[in-house]
Structures are given as structure tokens and as C-alpha cells.
Amino acid sequence: MSSLLSRLKQKSMIKAWIIIAILLISLSLFSLMYGEITLNLNTLWNVFTGNASAAHQLLVEKIRLPRLLAALLIGAALALSGLILQIITKNPLASPDVFGISDSAVLALAFTILLSSSSMLGQWWQALMGAIFCVFLF
């Protein structure tokens, strides 16, 4: 009976990963095709094969593709950081605001704005340092 349940669970996980992959591919194509200038699928294919106009090549290669890759990498990094926080604390509900990491970043930023007249590294660095300080205290 337990082997049947494990096979059903495994099949549902495979289906879920297939659905996620299809959604990722279709939303990525949507992101590359639609914007201020709409491209059809044929034009997008021509861009990737090198047969498109210079304007379309520039649009996809210099604007839309880097934006898509940045969004994917940043999303993956945020998901991984949340997973690491949950693994370290052994708490599936762990998030930065529960442990005060977000509040520490805001506090460090507020002190920086109030006490400093110059922003040598920029104010967001101080927020990052406040969050890291809180993590090391935790």
C-alpha cells in the first residue's frame, strides 16, 4: 500500500515539474515577444538564428533577453536564500521579517540617514550591513 502511495506521489511530482517547466518556457517567450514593440514567434526565431533585422536583434539581445535572464537569476537567488533560511532554522515558516532581519536593515538605514551627512557607499549598503549584523547575532 505504501509503495502505491509513493508511486502516486512521484507521478504527481513529475506532473508538477512538467507544468512548471511549460509555464516557465511560455512566460519566457511571452516576455521576449511582448513589450512596446510586439514581436511574433517567427521574428523571435529569426532573431535567434541571426536572420532578423538589426533593430529586432538589438531589441531582443540587448534589452529583453538580459532582462529575462536577470529576472530568472534574481528569482532563483531569492528562492534559494529563503530555502537556506528555512533549512538553517529548521522552520518551514521562516522568513526574514519573522526573525527581525528586515527590521534590522530598516533600523540601520534609518540610523545612517539620521547620523550621516555623506553617503560614501550609498545608503543601501548600510541596510545590507544591518541585516548581516542581525543574522550574525541570531
Side-chain angles (χ1 to χ4, degrees):
M1 187 68 166
S2 66
S3 65
L4 177 65
L5 288 175
S6 66
R7 277 190 282 153
L8 287 175
K9 186 176 180 181
Q10 185 178 14
K11 285 184 181 181
S12 65
M13 286 296 292
I14 290 172
K15 287 179 185 178
W17 280 110
I18 289 172
I19 291 171
I20 289 171
I22 290 171
L23 278 172
L24 180 67
I25 291 169
S26 61
L27 289 174
S28 296
L29 284 174
F30 183 82
S31 172
L32 291 174
M33 290 171 54
Y34 293 101
E36 186 70 28
I37 299 171
T38 303
L39 304 175
N40 59 22
L41 203 54
N42 188 31
T43 306
L44 193 62
W45 177 258
N46 288 336
V47 166
F48 286 123
T49 58
N51 298 327
S53 67
H56 289 148
Q57 288 285 133
L58 180 72
L59 176 68
V60 173
E61 290 178 357
K62 300 292 183 193
I63 298 172
R64 291 187 182 173
L65 191 60
R67 180 183 60 195
L68 173 67
L69 293 176
L72 291 173
L73 288 175
I74 290 169
L78 288 171
L80 184 62
S81 67
L83 177 68
I84 290 171
L85 185 63
Q86 290 175 349
I87 288 173
I88 288 173
T89 60
K90 296 179 182 155
N91 182 356
L93 299 176
S95 68
D97 56 336
V98 172
F99 292 104
I101 297 171
S102 301
D103 296 332
S104 299
V106 170
L107 181 66
L109 183 62
F111 277 138
T112 301
I113 292 171
L114 288 175
L115 301 176
S116 175
S117 61
S118 68
S119 59
M120 182 172 54
L121 292 175
Q123 294 172 340
W124 69 274
W125 279 100
Q126 281 79 22
L128 179 64
M129 292 302 137
I132 290 172
F133 182 71
C134 175
V135 168
F136 285 124
L137 283 180
F138 179 65

Coordinates of all heavy atoms in Angstrom, one line a residue, residues 62-119:
K62 N 19.9 42.9 -26.5 CA 20.4 43.9 -25.6 C 19.4 44.4 -24.5 O 19.8 44.9 -23.5 CB 20.9 45.2 -26.4 CG 22.0 44.9 -27.3 CD 23.2 44.5 -26.7 CE 24.3 44.3 -27.7 NZ 25.5 43.7 -27.2
I63 N 18.1 44.2 -24.7 CA 17.1 44.7 -23.8 C 16.3 43.5 -23.2 O 16.3 43.3 -22.0 CB 16.2 45.7 -24.4 CG1 17.0 46.9 -24.9 CG2 15.1 46.1 -23.5 CD1 16.3 47.9 -25.7
R64 N 15.6 42.8 -24.0 CA 14.7 41.8 -23.5 C 15.3 40.6 -22.9 O 14.9 40.1 -21.8 CB 13.6 41.4 -24.5 CG 12.7 42.6 -24.8 CD 11.6 42.2 -25.8 NE 10.8 43.4 -26.1 CZ 9.8 43.3 -26.9 NH1 9.5 42.2 -27.6 NH2 9.1 44.4 -27.2
L65 N 16.3 40.0 -23.6 CA 17.0 38.8 -23.1 C 17.7 39.0 -21.8 O 17.6 38.2 -20.8 CB 17.8 38.2 -24.2 CG 18.4 36.8 -23.9 CD1 17.2 35.8 -23.7 CD2 19.2 36.3 -25.0
P66 N 18.5 40.1 -21.7 CA 19.2 40.3 -20.4 C 18.2 40.6 -19.2 O 18.4 40.1 -18.1 CB 20.0 41.6 -20.6 CG 20.3 41.6 -22.1 CD 19.0 41.0 -22.7
R67 N 17.1 41.3 -19.5 CA 16.1 41.5 -18.5 C 15.4 40.2 -18.1 O 15.2 39.9 -16.9 CB 15.0 42.4 -19.1 CG 13.9 42.7 -18.1 CD 12.8 43.6 -18.7 NE 12.2 42.9 -19.9 CZ 11.5 43.5 -20.8 NH1 11.3 44.8 -20.7 NH2 11.0 42.9 -21.8
L68 N 15.2 39.3 -19.0 CA 14.6 38.0 -18.7 C 15.6 37.1 -17.9 O 15.2 36.5 -16.8 CB 14.2 37.2 -20.0 CG 13.8 35.8 -19.8 CD1 12.5 35.7 -19.1 CD2 13.7 35.1 -21.1
L69 N 16.9 37.1 -18.3 CA 17.9 36.3 -17.5 C 18.1 36.9 -16.1 O 18.2 36.1 -15.2 CB 19.2 36.3 -18.3 CG 19.1 35.5 -19.6 CD1 20.5 35.6 -20.4 CD2 18.7 34.1 -19.4
A70 N 18.1 38.2 -16.0 CA 18.2 38.8 -14.7 C 17.1 38.5 -13.8 O 17.2 38.1 -12.6 CB 18.4 40.3 -14.8
A71 N 15.8 38.5 -14.3 CA 14.7 38.2 -13.5 C 14.7 36.7 -13.1 O 14.4 36.4 -11.9 CB 13.4 38.4 -14.4
L72 N 15.1 35.8 -14.0 CA 15.2 34.4 -13.6 C 16.3 34.2 -12.5 O 16.1 33.4 -11.6 CB 15.5 33.5 -14.8 CG 14.4 33.4 -15.9 CD1 14.9 32.7 -17.1 CD2 13.2 32.7 -15.3
L73 N 17.4 34.8 -12.7 CA 18.5 34.6 -11.7 C 18.2 35.2 -10.4 O 18.5 34.6 -9.3 CB 19.8 35.2 -12.3 CG 20.5 34.4 -13.4 CD1 21.7 35.1 -13.9 CD2 20.8 33.0 -13.0
I74 N 17.6 36.4 -10.4 CA 17.2 37.0 -9.1 C 16.1 36.3 -8.4 O 16.2 36.1 -7.2 CB 16.8 38.5 -9.3 CG1 18.1 39.3 -9.8 CG2 16.2 39.1 -8.1 CD1 17.8 40.7 -10.3
G75 N 15.2 35.8 -9.1 CA 14.1 35.0 -8.6 C 14.7 33.7 -8.0 O 14.3 33.3 -6.9
A76 N 15.6 33.0 -8.7 CA 16.2 31.8 -8.2 C 17.0 32.1 -6.9 O 17.0 31.3 -5.9 CB 17.1 31.2 -9.2
A77 N 17.8 33.2 -6.9 CA 18.6 33.6 -5.7 C 17.7 33.9 -4.5 O 18.0 33.5 -3.4 CB 19.4 34.8 -6.0
L78 N 16.6 34.6 -4.7 CA 15.6 34.8 -3.6 C 15.0 33.5 -3.1 O 14.9 33.4 -1.9 CB 14.6 35.8 -4.0 CG 15.0 37.3 -4.2 CD1 13.9 38.1 -4.8 CD2 15.4 37.9 -2.9
A79 N 14.7 32.6 -4.0 CA 14.1 31.4 -3.5 C 15.1 30.5 -2.8 O 14.8 29.9 -1.7 CB 13.6 30.6 -4.8
L80 N 16.4 30.6 -3.3 CA 17.4 29.8 -2.6 C 17.8 30.4 -1.2 O 18.0 29.7 -0.2 CB 18.7 29.8 -3.5 CG 19.9 29.0 -2.9 CD1 19.5 27.5 -2.8 CD2 21.1 29.2 -3.8
S81 N 17.8 31.7 -1.1 CA 18.0 32.3 0.2 C 16.9 32.0 1.2 O 17.2 31.8 2.4 CB 18.2 33.8 0.1 OG 17.0 34.5 -0.3
G82 N 15.7 32.0 0.7 CA 14.6 31.6 1.6 C 14.7 30.2 2.0 O 14.4 29.8 3.2
L83 N 15.1 29.3 1.1 CA 15.3 27.9 1.4 C 16.4 27.7 2.4 O 16.2 26.9 3.4 CB 15.6 27.1 0.2 CG 15.8 25.6 0.4 CD1 14.6 24.9 0.8 CD2 16.4 25.0 -0.9
I84 N 17.5 28.4 2.3 CA 18.6 28.3 3.2 C 18.2 28.8 4.6 O 18.5 28.1 5.6 CB 19.8 29.1 2.7 CG1 20.4 28.4 1.5 CG2 20.9 29.3 3.8 CD1 21.5 29.2 0.8
L85 N 17.4 29.9 4.7 CA 17.0 30.4 6.0 C 16.0 29.3 6.6 O 16.2 29.1 7.8 CB 16.2 31.7 5.8 CG 15.8 32.4 7.1 CD1 16.9 32.8 7.9 CD2 14.9 33.6 6.7
Q86 N 15.2 28.7 5.9 CA 14.3 27.7 6.4 C 15.1 26.4 6.8 O 14.7 25.8 7.9 CB 13.2 27.3 5.4 CG 12.2 28.4 5.2 CD 11.2 28.1 4.1 OE1 11.4 27.1 3.4 NE2 10.2 28.9 4.0
I87 N 16.1 26.0 6.1 CA 16.9 24.9 6.5 C 17.7 25.1 7.7 O 17.8 24.3 8.6 CB 17.8 24.4 5.3 CG1 16.9 23.8 4.2 CG2 18.9 23.5 5.7 CD1 17.7 23.5 2.9
I88 N 18.3 26.3 7.8 CA 19.2 26.6 9.0 C 18.4 26.7 10.2 O 18.8 26.2 11.3 CB 19.9 27.9 8.7 CG1 21.0 27.7 7.7 CG2 20.5 28.5 10.0 CD1 21.7 29.0 7.3
T89 N 17.2 27.3 10.2 CA 16.4 27.4 11.4 C 15.5 26.2 11.6 O 14.8 26.1 12.7 CB 15.5 28.7 11.3 OG1 14.7 28.6 10.1 CG2 16.3 29.9 11.2
K90 N 15.4 25.3 10.6 CA 14.5 24.1 10.7 C 13.1 24.5 11.0 O 12.4 23.9 11.8 CB 15.0 23.1 11.8 CG 16.4 22.6 11.5 CD 16.9 21.6 12.5 CE 18.2 21.2 12.1 NZ 19.1 20.8 13.2
N91 N 12.7 25.6 10.3 CA 11.4 26.1 10.4 C 10.8 26.4 9.1 O 11.3 27.2 8.3 CB 11.4 27.5 11.2 CG 10.1 28.1 11.5 OD1 9.1 27.6 11.0 ND2 10.0 29.2 12.2
P92 N 9.8 25.6 8.6 CA 9.2 25.8 7.3 C 8.5 27.2 7.1 O 8.2 27.5 6.0 CB 8.3 24.7 7.1 CG 7.9 24.2 8.5 CD 9.1 24.6 9.4
L93 N 8.2 27.9 8.2 CA 7.6 29.2 8.0 C 8.6 30.3 8.2 O 8.2 31.5 8.3 CB 6.5 29.3 9.1 CG 5.3 28.3 9.0 CD1 4.4 28.4 10.1 CD2 4.6 28.4 7.7
A94 N 9.8 30.1 8.2 CA 10.9 31.1 8.4 C 10.9 32.1 7.3 O 10.8 31.7 6.1 CB 12.2 30.5 8.6
S95 N 11.0 33.3 7.6 CA 11.1 34.4 6.6 C 11.9 35.5 7.3 O 12.0 35.6 8.5 CB 9.8 34.9 6.1 OG 9.1 35.6 7.2
P96 N 12.5 36.4 6.5 CA 13.3 37.5 7.1 C 12.6 38.4 8.1 O 13.2 38.9 9.0 CB 13.8 38.3 5.9 CG 13.7 37.3 4.8 CD 12.6 36.4 5.0
D97 N 11.3 38.6 7.8 CA 10.6 39.5 8.7 C 10.2 38.9 10.0 O 10.1 39.5 11.1 CB 9.3 40.1 8.0 CG 8.4 39.0 7.5 OD1 8.9 37.9 7.3 OD2 7.2 39.2 7.4
V98 N 10.1 37.5 10.1 CA 9.8 36.8 11.3 C 11.0 36.9 12.3 O 10.8 37.1 13.5 CB 9.5 35.3 11.0 CG1 9.3 34.5 12.3 CG2 8.2 35.3 10.3
F99 N 12.2 36.8 11.8 CA 13.4 36.8 12.6 C 14.0 38.2 12.8 O 15.0 38.4 13.5 CB 14.5 35.9 12.0 CG 14.1 34.5 12.1 CD1 13.6 33.8 10.9 CD2 14.1 33.8 13.3 CE1 13.3 32.5 11.0 CE2 13.7 32.5 13.4 CZ 13.3 31.8 12.2
G100 N 13.4 39.2 12.3 CA 13.8 40.6 12.5 C 14.9 41.1 11.6 O 15.5 42.1 11.8
I101 N 15.3 40.3 10.6 CA 16.3 40.7 9.6 C 15.9 41.9 8.9 O 16.7 42.9 8.7 CB 16.7 39.5 8.7 CG1 17.2 38.3 9.5 CG2 17.7 39.9 7.7 CD1 17.4 37.1 8.8
S102 N 14.7 41.9 8.4 CA 14.2 43.1 7.6 C 14.1 44.4 8.5 O 14.5 45.4 8.1 CB 12.8 42.8 7.1 OG 12.8 41.7 6.3
D103 N 13.7 44.2 9.8 CA 13.6 45.3 10.7 C 15.0 45.8 11.0 O 15.2 47.0 11.2 CB 12.9 44.9 12.0 CG 11.5 44.5 11.7 OD1 10.9 45.1 10.7 OD2 10.9 43.7 12.5
S104 N 16.0 44.9 11.1 CA 17.4 45.4 11.4 C 17.9 46.2 10.2 O 18.7 47.2 10.4 CB 18.3 44.2 11.7 OG 17.8 43.5 12.8
A105 N 17.6 45.8 9.0 CA 18.1 46.5 7.9 C 17.4 47.9 7.8 O 18.1 48.9 7.6 CB 17.7 45.7 6.6
V106 N 16.2 48.0 8.2 CA 15.5 49.3 8.2 C 16.1 50.2 9.3 O 16.3 51.4 9.1 CB 14.0 49.1 8.4 CG1 13.3 50.4 8.6 CG2 13.4 48.4 7.1
L107 N 16.4 49.6 10.5 CA 16.9 50.3 11.6 C 18.3 50.9 11.2 O 18.6 52.1 11.5 CB 17.0 49.5 12.8 CG 17.6 50.1 14.1 CD1 16.6 51.2 14.6 CD2 17.8 49.1 15.2
A108 N 19.1 50.0 10.6 CA 20.5 50.5 10.2 C 20.4 51.6 9.1 O 21.1 52.6 9.2 CB 21.3 49.3 9.6
L109 N 19.4 51.5 8.2 CA 19.2 52.5 7.2 C 18.7 53.8 7.8 O 19.2 54.9 7.5 CB 18.2 52.0 6.2 CG 17.9 52.9 5.0 CD1 19.2 53.2 4.2 CD2 16.9 52.4 4.1
A110 N 17.9 53.7 8.8 CA 17.4 54.9 9.5 C 18.5 55.6 10.2 O 18.6 56.9 10.2 CB 16.2 54.6 10.5
F111 N 19.3 54.9 11.0 CA 20.4 55.5 11.6 C 21.4 56.1 10.7 O 22.0 57.2 10.9 CB 21.2 54.5 12.5 CG 20.5 54.2 13.8 CD1 20.4 52.9 14.4 CD2 20.1 55.3 14.6 CE1 19.8 52.7 15.6 CE2 19.5 55.1 15.8 CZ 19.4 53.8 16.3
T112 N 21.6 55.5 9.5 CA 22.5 56.1 8.5 C 22.0 57.4 8.0 O 22.7 58.3 7.8 CB 22.7 55.1 7.4 OG1 23.2 53.8 7.9 CG2 23.6 55.6 6.3
I113 N 20.7 57.4 7.7 CA 20.1 58.6 7.2 C 20.2 59.8 8.2 O 20.5 60.9 7.9 CB 18.7 58.4 6.7 CG1 18.7 57.5 5.5 CG2 17.9 59.7 6.4 CD1 17.3 57.0 5.1
L114 N 19.9 59.4 9.5 CA 19.9 60.4 10.6 C 21.3 60.9 10.9 O 21.5 62.1 11.2 CB 19.2 59.9 11.8 CG 17.7 59.7 11.7 CD1 17.1 59.0 13.0 CD2 17.0 61.1 11.5
L115 N 22.2 60.0 11.0 CA 23.5 60.4 11.6 C 24.6 60.7 10.6 O 25.7 61.2 10.9 CB 24.0 59.2 12.5 CG 23.1 58.9 13.6 CD1 23.6 57.7 14.4 CD2 22.9 60.1 14.6
S116 N 24.4 60.4 9.3 CA 25.4 60.6 8.3 C 25.0 61.7 7.3 O 23.9 61.7 6.9 CB 25.7 59.3 7.6 OG 26.6 59.5 6.5
S117 N 26.0 62.6 7.0 CA 25.7 63.6 6.0 C 26.2 63.2 4.7 O 25.7 63.7 3.7 CB 26.4 64.9 6.4 OG 27.8 64.7 6.5
S118 N 27.1 62.2 4.6 CA 27.6 61.8 3.3 C 27.2 60.3 3.1 O 27.1 59.5 4.1 CB 29.1 61.9 3.2 OG 29.7 61.1 4.1
S119 N 27.0 59.9 1.9 CA 26.8 58.5 1.6 C 27.9 58.0 0.7 O 27.8 57.9 -0.5 CB 25.4 58.4 0.9 OG 25.4 59.1 -0.3

